[in-house]
Amino acid sequence: RAMGFTRHTAGTLVTEPDPAEGWHEELLHSDNSYLQGYWQTERYFRAVAGEVREAFRFRLPLPQEEKTMAQQIQAGQSVSVHIRRGDYLKKRRREDYDVCTANYYRRAVSYIQQHVESSVFYVFSDEPAWGAQQGIFPQGTIFVTGHTGQNAYLDMQLMSLCRHHIIANSSFSWWGAWLGQTDG
């Protein structure tokens, strides 16, 4: 609507209820519908999760530098950490989204360190300098940079290869973690 497009076909607009209220199974039975919302729970598509994974499988081969990093990620107890700040800090977005704090990440890193031996953190962020300056991450943390614009999908692809995940309140984070096929 913001771009001036209108709906030209019949159907029902189904708006996701407040996610804090949980999921609503009856919405799975809506035919000929347009969905509006984030729908960030696999409960809505758990029965076809394999098909969703296949539909969203990364098909392009990784460039050599990322291929090397992918091998490192898959060889150990890798932990993706997604820090999203950028547009969330703009006034119009701050009203809708909280920004995950340094304390949130500090607690999550501590939890992983207590439960995952030999963990290696891979930080993906639109503001890697902020993450590096907070004193959150242990020595040996790898800050993944350089994937913006049309190459941003490389962050999600590398995130999906990690065994464990610390996500931001971001659908990019959620999908990067969910598309991972590990048991971590």
Side-chain angles (χ1 to χ4, degrees):
R1 286 182 294 204
M3 297 178 65
F5 295 115
T6 57
R7 194 167 25 125
H8 293 287
T9 59
T12 305
L13 176 64
V14 178
T15 302
E16 179 184 27
D18 182 354
E21 296 174 13
W23 78 294
H24 300 271
E25 184 175 8
E26 67 276 6
L27 297 178
L28 296 174
H29 308 291
S30 300
D31 289 331
N32 195 21
S33 300
Y34 296 89
L35 304 177
Q36 179 176 311
Y38 293 100
W39 308 95
Q40 289 180 184
T41 174
E42 73 173 340
R43 291 181 191 176
Y44 290 114
F45 58 88
R46 184 177 288 148
V48 293
E51 293 171 52
V52 173
R53 282 188 200 285
E54 179 58 27
F56 290 101
R57 183 174 49 88
F58 297 99
R59 288 172 172 75
L60 296 176
L62 286 168
Q64 187 56 50
E65 185 176 337
E66 285 76 9
K67 194 179 293 183
T68 300
M69 182 175 290
Q71 291 168 344
Q72 293 171 346
I73 286 171
Q74 292 174 308
Q77 290 294 334
S78 53
V79 182
S80 76
V81 181
H82 187 235
I83 299 173
R84 180 170 178 184
R85 294 175 50 79
D87 63 328
Y88 278 16
L89 296 175
K90 293 181 180 176
K91 186 178 187 315
R92 65 176 177 77
R93 301 289 288 210
R94 274 194 319 243
E95 295 167 2
D96 295 328
Y97 304 101
D98 291 328
V99 175
C100 295
T101 64
N103 191 45
Y104 163 78
Y105 289 106
R106 196 171 285 112
R107 288 185 4 229
V109 166
S110 176
Y111 178 88
I112 292 287
Q113 288 178 313
Q114 291 171 23
H115 293 88
V116 180
E117 195 172 320
S118 303
S119 53
V120 178
F121 295 88
Y122 292 82
V123 178
F124 301 86
S125 178
D126 57 358
E127 288 190 18
W130 180 88
Q133 294 166 353
Q134 300 306 308
I136 299 167
F137 302 104
Q139 192 166 353
T141 294
I142 298 160
F143 288 85
V144 182
T145 60
H147 303 139
T148 60
Q150 290 184 341
N151 290 330
Y153 75 93
L154 291 169
D155 274 359
M156 186 183 289
Q157 186 171 4
L158 291 169
M159 288 167 63
S160 75
L161 298 174
C162 291
R163 293 180 183 270
H164 311 277
H165 306 275
I166 298 172
I167 67 172
N169 55 336
S170 158
S171 56
F172 191 89
S173 287
W174 188 90
W175 280 104
W178 188 85
L179 288 172
Q181 296 187 29
T182 63
D183 296 328

